[in-house]
């Protein structure tokens, strides 16, 4: 029997956590036809990949992306595929493009996800042919998809489409009975179309773009308990997932969202919340994460935190970074889209006093540590400040407050001032603990968003390197087989999609990794232009020696540092419907 592709002599992982072994894989008609220790007959085989010394594992699953816009005009999604990701979930954080029009999509995606609003509007205007979830799926399946796509329906999407964006973002407005029934119908229709669930949001520093409702929080944040319960009840009945972000400043929000998973007197709700992280701003919070998930699941829930398994390093051009949305002075600057007005505000001494007061406040829940001594300047027309922190710049200028040093440079240089800081996941021992915690899911890359702020497209490779290095140094915190399972089959199983396994009969979505090149190149800074966004420079990862081949649907789509002719020109990925295995 002939094969389309043979991958031989590699260390094979099946994605279930079972022991790995040296095996030969024969691929035919897009599926794994055989996995064997026997030598396969290469007669008539068009492609033979020698994986000696390499790992062969299922394509990785990225459970948290914002590719909703990019996939419409760049369906190859090369930046994820090149790192071995073969399945992505879209529709995160209450945002999706199923029901909203182009302008509303621009308003809800642009500022929250740092995707230029005009490009969001253009993409929806030029491509939208759908008005329902079923039609959206059909539209995706007409595209030359690179990876497989699974989707959440966004609460902000269905809410703003039903109420209108202005009414959907007013605290005094409640949906009528008919409007609520219509939102329920939209959710049911999406689940019938194969969506994995609904995403919601209560985090209050996600702000709207545009002019109509600028700086209001996302529509999902205005939903009251009755509306959330009604929608969650549908997810419970259907065994579908609620993905959500609580308002971390509100214990009530955190308790309500975490406890919603419990099934006391009702079906439990599969719940995945943002996020498990070792925050610099709240160093003791990490101790609660595992306890919360263990307690909820012991009480009958089905709860998972989402977790980025690498240091959360972010970059910013001037003041354009979402962390400033979480306090009043920062949000006031970002509210102003006109640069002249924004600079005038930042020069104002009363504004600066307010900024300094909020910066110096030591108490309360927050994401950013607000320490300009922990914020390094990496680019600036003034070479003398490069490599320094804003705190050090203030000291060199006669003891100027770090806030004033920062604002002075932003006013003078605007977005030509580039700097970086690490928000969380800075302590290796806690990265290990979170990575091994069964109440935590590995994901939360935000791929496709924050294009100038961060790049975690290769988070899976970096996680495998951490596990491999720990094992080699005698401090193993999990096996490599378990690590592969966490990035692949565990996620496919929990979200109930056909992804993450590499056994006989499974779809041939796989990656070949050279472990010798899981090295420091995974952490290096790189940029690459996004063609569909007027060649806007995007932060990316480049570690092309680590991934020697990526296959999706049995087709080789990447290898030797470059996409093949297939990627983006032929549909290799599918829309993965929940429950359809």
């Amino acid at each position: 029997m002939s094969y389309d592709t043979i991958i031989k002599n590699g260390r094979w992982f099946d994605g279930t956590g079972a022991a790995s072994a040296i095996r030969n894989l024969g691929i035919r008609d897009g599926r794994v036809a055989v996995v064997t220790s026997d030598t396969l007959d290469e007669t008539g085989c068009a492609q033979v990949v020698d994986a000696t010394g390499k790992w062969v594992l299922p394509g990785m699953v990225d459970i948290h992306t914002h590719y909703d816009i990019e996939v419409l005009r760049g369906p190859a999604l090369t930046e994820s595929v090149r790192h071995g990701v073969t399945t992505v979930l879209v529709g995160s954080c209450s945002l999706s493009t199923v029901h909203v029009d182009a302008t509303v999509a621009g308003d809800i995606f642009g500022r929250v996800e740092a995707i230029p609003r005009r490009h969001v509007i253009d993409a929806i205007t030029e491509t939208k042919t759908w008005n329902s979830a079923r039609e959206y799926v059909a539209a995706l399946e007409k595209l030359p998809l690179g990876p497989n796509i699974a989707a959440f329906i966004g609460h902000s999407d269905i809410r703003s489409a039903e109420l209108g964006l202005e009414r959907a973002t007013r605290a005094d407005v409640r949906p009528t009975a008919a409007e609520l029934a219509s939102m329920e119908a939209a959710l049911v229709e999406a689940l019938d179309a194969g969506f994995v669930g609904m995403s919601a949001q209560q985090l209050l520093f996600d702000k709207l773009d545009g002019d109509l409702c600028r700086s209001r929080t996302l529509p999902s944040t205005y939903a009251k308990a009755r509306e959330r319960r009604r929608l969650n009840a549908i997810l419970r009945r259907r065994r579908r997932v609620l993905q959500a972000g609580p308002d971390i400043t509100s214990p009530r929000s955190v308790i309500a969202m975490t406890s919603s998973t419990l099934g006391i007197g009702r079906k439990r709700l599969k719940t995945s919340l943002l996020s498990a992280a070792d925050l610099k701003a709240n160093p003791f919070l990490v101790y609660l994460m595992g306890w919360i998930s263990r307690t909820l699941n012991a009480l009958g829930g089905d709860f998972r935190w989402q977790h980025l398994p690498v240091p959360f390093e972010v970059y910013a051009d001037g003041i354009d970074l979402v962390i400033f949305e979480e306090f009043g002075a920062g949000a006031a600057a970002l509210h102003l889209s006109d640069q002249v007005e924004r600079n005038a505000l930042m020069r104002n001494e009363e504004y600066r006093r307010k900024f300094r007061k909020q910066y110096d406040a030591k108490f309360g829940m927050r994401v950013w540590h607000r320490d300009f001594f922990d914020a390094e300047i990496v680019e600036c027309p003034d070479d003398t400040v490069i490599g320094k922190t804003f705190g050090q710049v203030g000291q060199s200028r006669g003891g100027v407050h770090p806030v004033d040093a920062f604002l002075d440079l932003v006013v003078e240089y605007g977005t030509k001032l580039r700097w970086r800081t690490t928000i969380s996941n800075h302590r290796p021992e806690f990265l290990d603990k979170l990575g091994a915690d069964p109440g935590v899911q590995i994901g939360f890359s935000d791929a496709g968003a924050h294009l100038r702020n961060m790049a975690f497209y290769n988070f899976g490779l970096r996680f495998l390197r951490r596990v491999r290095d720990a094992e080699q140094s005698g401090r193993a915190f999990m096996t490599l087989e378990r690590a592969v399972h966490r990035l692949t089959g565990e996620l496919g199983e929990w979200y109930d999609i056909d992804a993450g396994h590499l056994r006989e009969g499974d779809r041939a979505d796989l990656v070949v990794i050279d472990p010798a090149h899981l090295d420091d190149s995974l952490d290096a800074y790189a940029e690459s232009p996004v063609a569909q966004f007027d060649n806007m420079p995007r932060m990316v990862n480049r570690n092309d020696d680590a991934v020697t081949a990526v296959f999706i649907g049995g087709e080789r789509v990447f290898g030797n540092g470059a996409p093949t002719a297939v990627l983006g020109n032929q549909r290799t990925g599918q829309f993965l419907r929940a429950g359809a295995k």
Side-chain angles (χ1 to χ4, degrees):
M1 298 180 68
S2 63
Y3 302 100
D4 301 322
T5 298
I6 290 173
I7 301 175
K8 64 181 184 180
N9 301 326
R11 182 180 175 184
W12 162 73
F13 299 78
D14 70 359
T16 69
S20 58
I22 304 301
R23 291 291 183 267
N24 302 307
L25 280 67
I27 297 171
R28 186 187 306 116
D29 298 329
R31 293 197 171 265
V32 180
V34 64
V35 179
T36 180
S37 58
D38 298 332
T39 300
L40 295 177
D41 184 358
E42 298 177 8
T43 304
C45 182
Q47 182 173 215
V48 177
V49 177
D50 187 354
T52 302
K54 299 180 176 65
W55 301 343
V56 181
L57 53 139
M60 289 177 270
V61 181
D62 190 342
I63 61 173
H64 190 115
T65 82
H66 291 283
Y67 274 134
D68 308 71
I69 309 303
E70 187 173 339
V71 71
L72 301 176
R73 297 200 296 185
L77 301 181
T78 306
E79 291 306 330
S80 285
V81 170
R82 72 186 304 140
H83 304 293
V85 173
T86 61
T87 298
V88 301
L89 273 64
V90 300
S92 301
C93 298
S94 86
L95 308 176
S96 57
T97 62
V98 176
H99 295 287
V100 292
D101 62 26
T103 300
V104 173
D107 288 354
I108 66 175
F109 272 94
R111 184 165 161 188
V112 171
E113 302 304 339
I115 306 171
R117 179 175 179 268
R118 65 185 180 88
H119 292 305
V120 178
I121 293 173
D122 288 348
I124 301 297
T125 300
E126 294 171 9
T127 63
K128 186 167 184 179
T129 58
W130 58 88
N131 292 295
S132 69
R134 289 188 184 278
E135 292 174 351
Y136 174 75
V137 172
L140 286 183
E141 291 188 321
K142 291 179 181 178
L143 297 173
L145 294 176
N148 304 301
I149 305 288
F152 293 99
I153 187 74
H155 186 201
S156 287
D157 179 4
I158 58 178
R159 193 171 209 270
S160 55
E162 181 59 36
L163 301 180
L165 187 61
E166 202 280 328
R167 290 184 65 235
T169 55
R170 281 175 44 192
D172 61 333
V173 171
R174 302 287 188 278
T176 65
E179 289 168 336
L180 185 52
S182 183
M183 283 191 275
E184 291 176 304
L187 175 56
V188 169
E189 194 259 342
L191 300 182
D192 287 344
F195 282 52
V196 297
M198 182 185 77
S199 65
Q201 187 64 288
Q202 290 186 16
L203 195 62
L204 297 180
F205 64 69
D206 283 345
K207 304 291 177 61
L208 295 178
D209 208 337
D211 298 318
L212 177 64
C213 303
R214 187 173 182 83
S215 294
R216 295 184 188 178
T217 56
L218 289 173
S220 183
T221 65
Y222 292 87
K224 302 302 180 186
R226 177 172 177 267
E227 179 180 334
R228 295 195 300 272
R229 283 196 301 268
R230 292 273 294 268
L231 295 173
N232 287 350
I234 296 170
L235 298 174
R236 290 180 194 278
R237 290 196 299 270
R238 299 289 292 271
R239 289 291 296 148
R240 294 292 168 241
V241 178
L242 172 68
Q243 183 236 64
D247 174 11
I248 64 170
T249 66
S250 167
R252 180 179 179 182
S253 172
V254 174
I255 292 170
M257 274 200 165
T258 54
S259 63
S260 65
T261 189
L262 297 177
I264 301 172
R266 56 185 179 178
K267 290 186 177 181
R268 62 183 182 176
L269 175 61
K270 297 179 81 170
T271 304
S272 178
L273 291 195
L274 314 181
S275 67
D278 179 21
L279 289 170
K280 284 185 177 180
N282 294 279
F284 299 106
L285 186 62
V286 69
Y287 293 98
L288 295 176
M289 296 292 182
W291 178 85
I292 289 172
S293 60
R294 286 191 298 273
T295 300
L296 291 170
N297 292 329
L299 291 173
D302 194 353
F303 179 88
R304 302 293 187 276
W305 294 107
Q306 293 188 5
H307 168 62
L308 179 70
V310 301
F312 200 95
E313 183 182 49
V314 296
Y315 284 70
D317 298 318
I319 200 171
D320 290 326
L321 187 62
V322 69
I323 59 174
F324 289 104
E325 301 275 22
E326 72 173 346
F327 63 102
L334 295 178
H335 173 74
L336 300 173
S337 57
D338 181 83
Q339 195 62 49
V340 174
E341 292 181 2
R342 185 183 286 185
N343 283 347
L345 176 69
M346 290 188 291
R347 289 190 185 98
N348 183 275
E349 180 54 35
E350 183 178 350
Y351 169 79
R352 289 189 172 211
R353 281 198 299 271
K354 180 180 179 182
F355 199 127
R356 289 192 296 266
K357 181 178 179 180
Q358 294 171 355
Y359 170 89
D360 288 329
K362 302 301 181 185
F363 302 104
M365 288 293 295
R366 59 194 186 188
V367 173
W368 178 35
H369 46 75
R370 299 184 200 172
D371 181 2
F372 277 133
F373 280 94
D374 187 7
E376 180 190 7
I377 300 165
V378 295
E379 294 179 22
C380 186
D382 180 357
D383 293 341
T384 65
V385 302
I386 295 176
K388 296 180 179 178
T389 69
F390 294 106
Q392 291 170 334
V393 171
Q395 289 177 332
S396 69
R397 295 183 176 184
V400 171
H401 193 284
V403 165
D404 292 296
F406 169 72
L407 292 175
D408 286 344
L409 289 170
V410 172
V411 169
E412 186 170 0
Y413 299 114
T415 56
K416 293 180 181 179
L417 171 72
R418 190 157 174 78
W419 55 281
R420 67 183 177 192
T421 189
T422 297
I423 303 295
S424 63
N425 297 340
H426 52 296
R427 295 184 290 185
E429 63 272 25
F430 288 104
L431 272 179
D432 292 350
K433 289 178 180 178
L434 290 172
D437 192 320
V440 167
Q441 290 178 337
I442 305 299
F444 193 43
S445 76
D446 260 359
H450 304 288
L451 306 180
R452 293 286 298 153
N453 303 132
M454 59 196 190
F456 303 121
Y457 299 95
N458 67 353
F459 70 92
L461 299 176
R462 295 172 73 179
F463 182 63
L464 291 174
R465 180 187 61 183
R466 170 174 290 279
V467 173
R468 188 273 315 271
D469 290 352
E471 185 179 77
Q472 291 182 346
S473 66
R475 52 175 184 83
F477 61 95
M478 71 168 62
T479 65
L480 271 171
E481 288 84 356
R482 171 66 175 140
V484 170
H485 177 58
R486 301 227 69 195
L487 294 165
T488 59
E490 178 182 297
L491 302 172
E493 293 156 11
W494 199 80
Y495 288 93
D496 200 14
I497 55 176
D498 185 14
H501 293 113
L502 192 61
R503 306 158 300 190
E504 290 185 1
D506 286 327
R507 194 173 51 252
D509 302 332
L510 63 94
V511 55
V512 181
I513 293 173
D514 185 349
H517 291 284
L518 293 179
D519 52 31
D520 291 346
S521 67
L522 274 65
D523 307 319
Y525 184 98
E527 291 186 359
S528 180
V530 188
Q532 60 267 37
F533 295 161
D534 289 342
N535 290 318
M536 174 185 179
R538 179 213 314 246
M539 285 186 63
V540 296
N541 308 112
R542 287 293 180 267
N543 41 257
D544 294 330
D545 291 333
V547 174
T548 62
V550 181
F551 287 78
I552 300 176
E555 295 284 347
R556 187 168 183 164
V557 295
F558 210 92
N560 301 317
T564 67
V566 168
L567 187 61
N569 294 305
Q570 174 182 322
R571 184 161 74 94
T572 53
Q574 305 176 26
F575 184 87
L576 300 183
R577 291 165 172 81
K581 294 183 179 179

